[in-house]
Amino acid sequence: MKKIITISREFGSGGRFIGEALAKELNFAFYDKNIIEQVAQETGLSEKYIAERGEYALSHNRFSYGFIGRTMQGNSVDDLIYQAQTNIICDLAEKGNCVIVGRCADYILRNRSDVLNVFIHGNKAEKAQRIMNLYGKTEQEALVLMKDTDKKRAVNYAYCTDQKWGVSKNYALCMNSSILGYETCIEIIKGCL
Amino acid sequence: MKKIITISREFGSGGRFIGEALAKELNFAFYDKNIIEQVAQETGLSEKYIAERGEYALSHNRFSYGFIGRTMQGNSVDDLIYQAQTNIICDLAEKGNCVIVGRCADYILRNRSDVLNVFIHGNKAEKAQRIMNLYGKTEQEALVLMKDTDKKRAVNYAYCTDQKWGVSKNYALCMNSSILGYETCIEIIKGCL
């Protein structure tokens, strides 16, 4: 029986929306940006800083890793954030039924047998339209933001997990939300628990 | 409304079984190895030859392409098989509701809006066990056969489609049959039509 659902998602695919709706329907806890607050508490770093770097932490300054942002213990700040996220996600999973969006949770929880890993992607046009509507962007801005955000997520995921983001074998279930629709995606995930 | 289901699958994942069971339940036509007979009729090549090369055609002799197996028209025999497969799959799709397994059907039918593309994969241990049971192989033989077959499929797919086999964005739906189970996979696909 799966009681923890991790959702990885392309930007604009509605993955977060699907996760939140699913959590509501199932009466599961929902963890997304609220993880940031906990990371802030654990690390003493500001929420703003973590919000900017948390999910993309290790995709920045990869090559300057040894020279900047080191803590007293000799770890980079990015490592500190990732370690805090790892601890928090493991603790949250222990607490019981939940949906966790992003933050390499699929990989962090890889040794548990009660986790269902889902990847949500979509067609470029539908994703751009969603970003335009949600964030008041032009189509051009939406396309740039989409490309940039997904690139950072992919690099960060590769660095933290040694796996390739969006490759089907890393997930129990991958769905194109533009083709299937959000409601069908939600129903499918429910049917897998 | 989707009325054509293409199933791409890792060797041993039960993708063919899922496709066949689905076709029976839905009363859809099922096309798999029977495409070979039609390719044989269209090309004049033997079924045995096509069975060996049909799905993996272009993964052999890639670099000797210009020197061997050319027809009178200057195409390689592999191109001839692929072109025949393309014509046949387009014709089959025109005939109505069906499930088509393998043979780059997802790519060949990419311009139709009534096609649902599915990729079935699985865990190594479960796939190896299935191959041992179905083909009377040892575990070692099953692992080698699995690796070899999937490699050929991936190379052939890349060559024919310029896309990467098994990357989630090429399919509406990707499922790990070892985690979800065959029955759940069938139910999920039915729910997407």
Side-chain angles (χ1 to χ4, degrees):
Chain A
M1 184 69 186
K2 309 292 185 192
K3 57 177 196 160
I4 298 158
I5 302 161
T6 76
I7 297 194
S8 308
R9 75 294 181 213
E10 286 182 349
F11 189 58
S13 69
R16 203 193 57 78
F17 171 84
I18 289 168
E20 195 163 12
L22 191 67
K24 264 186 199 147
E25 284 194 35
L26 294 168
N27 203 24
F28 276 25
F30 178 68
Y31 303 120
D32 176 21
K33 292 189 178 146
N34 43 8
I35 292 176
I36 293 170
E37 297 164 25
Q38 298 195 40
V39 175
Q41 282 172 11
E42 185 158 317
T43 59
L45 297 167
S46 80
E47 286 183 28
K48 186 172 175 291
Y49 183 85
I50 294 160
E52 278 169 8
R53 301 178 65 88
E55 204 170 7
Y56 316 116
L58 295 156
S59 57
H60 302 290
N61 300 319
R62 181 69 41 80
F63 302 107
S64 55
Y65 174 103
F67 307 107
I68 66 157
R70 282 184 172 275
T71 64
M72 295 292 280
Q73 291 74 38
N75 297 316
S76 76
V77 178
D78 291 340
D79 285 343
L80 187 71
I81 292 174
Y82 182 69
Q83 192 52 54
Q85 274 189 186
T86 300
N87 296 341
I88 288 160
I89 286 170
C90 289
D91 288 351
L92 294 175
E94 271 305 302
K95 282 189 185 170
N97 299 355
C98 63
V99 177
I100 307 174
V101 175
R103 293 163 200 283
C104 306
D106 58 311
Y107 180 78
I108 290 169
L109 301 175
R110 65 193 176 283
N111 293 326
R112 297 184 66 111
S113 60
D114 54 358
V115 179
L116 183 79
N117 295 321
V118 178
F119 185 78
I120 307 284
H121 56 104
N123 297 343
K124 197 182 271 189
E126 283 86 346
K127 290 186 297 180
Q129 190 60 55
R130 183 174 172 83
I131 294 163
M132 290 159 69
N133 296 344
L134 277 180
Y135 304 103
K137 301 285 181 190
T138 65
E139 188 178 5
Q140 189 51 32
E141 287 169 341
L143 289 171
V144 169
L145 194 57
M146 209 159 82
K147 194 176 172 188
D148 188 47
T149 307
D150 285 345
K151 195 171 183 177
K152 285 176 184 168
R153 284 178 183 170
V155 171
N156 184 57
Y157 186 82
Y159 185 79
C160 295
T161 70
D162 278 333
Q163 296 180 163
K164 204 164 183 284
W165 193 69
V167 167
S168 58
K169 71 175 174 183
N170 299 334
Y171 314 92
L173 190 59
C174 301
M175 293 181 284
N176 181 319
S177 62
S178 309
I179 295 175
L180 302 181
Y182 298 166
E183 277 311 310
T184 301
C185 290
I186 293 167
E187 288 309 308
I188 287 174
I189 298 170
K190 281 161 65 183
C192 293
L193 300 180
Chain B
M1 185 67 186
K2 309 292 186 191
K3 58 178 196 160
I4 298 159
I5 302 160
T6 75
I7 298 193
S8 308
R9 76 294 181 212
E10 286 182 349
F11 189 57
S13 69
R16 202 192 57 79
F17 171 84
I18 289 168
E20 194 163 14
L22 190 67
K24 265 187 198 146
E25 285 193 34
L26 294 169
N27 202 24
F28 276 26
F30 178 68
Y31 304 120
D32 176 21
K33 292 191 177 144
N34 43 8
I35 292 176
I36 293 169
E37 296 164 27
Q38 298 193 41
V39 174
Q41 281 172 12
E42 186 159 316
T43 59
L45 297 167
S46 80
E47 286 183 28
K48 185 170 176 292
Y49 183 84
I50 294 160
E52 279 169 9
R53 300 178 66 89
E55 205 169 7
Y56 316 116
L58 295 156
S59 58
H60 301 291
N61 301 318
R62 181 67 41 79
F63 302 105
S64 55
Y65 174 101
F67 308 105
I68 65 156
R70 281 186 171 274
T71 64
M72 295 291 281
Q73 291 75 38
N75 297 315
S76 77
V77 177
D78 291 339
D79 285 344
L80 187 72
I81 292 173
Y82 182 69
Q83 192 51 54
Q85 274 189 184
T86 300
N87 296 341
I88 288 160
I89 285 170
C90 288
D91 288 350
L92 293 175
E94 272 303 303
K95 282 189 183 170
N97 299 356
C98 62
V99 177
I100 307 175
V101 175
R103 292 162 201 283
C104 305
D106 57 312
Y107 180 79
I108 290 169
L109 301 176
R110 66 193 175 281
N111 292 327
R112 298 184 67 111
S113 60
D114 55 357
V115 179
L116 183 80
N117 295 321
V118 178
F119 185 77
I120 307 284
H121 56 103
N123 297 343
K124 198 183 271 189
E126 282 86 348
K127 290 187 297 181
Q129 191 60 56
R130 182 173 172 84
I131 294 164
M132 289 157 70
N133 295 345
L134 277 180
Y135 304 104
K137 302 284 182 192
T138 65
E139 188 178 4
Q140 189 51 34
E141 286 169 340
L143 290 170
V144 170
L145 193 58
M146 211 159 82
K147 193 174 172 189
D148 188 48
T149 307
D150 284 346
K151 196 170 183 178
K152 285 177 184 168
R153 284 178 182 169
V155 171
N156 184 56
Y157 186 82
Y159 185 80
C160 294
T161 70
D162 277 331
Q163 295 181 164
K164 205 162 182 287
W165 192 69
V167 167
S168 58
K169 71 174 174 183
N170 299 333
Y171 313 92
L173 190 59
C174 302
M175 294 181 283
N176 181 318
S177 62
S178 309
I179 295 175
L180 303 179
Y182 298 166
E183 277 311 313
T184 301
C185 290
I186 293 168
E187 288 308 309
I188 288 174
I189 298 171
K190 280 162 65 183
C192 294
L193 301 183

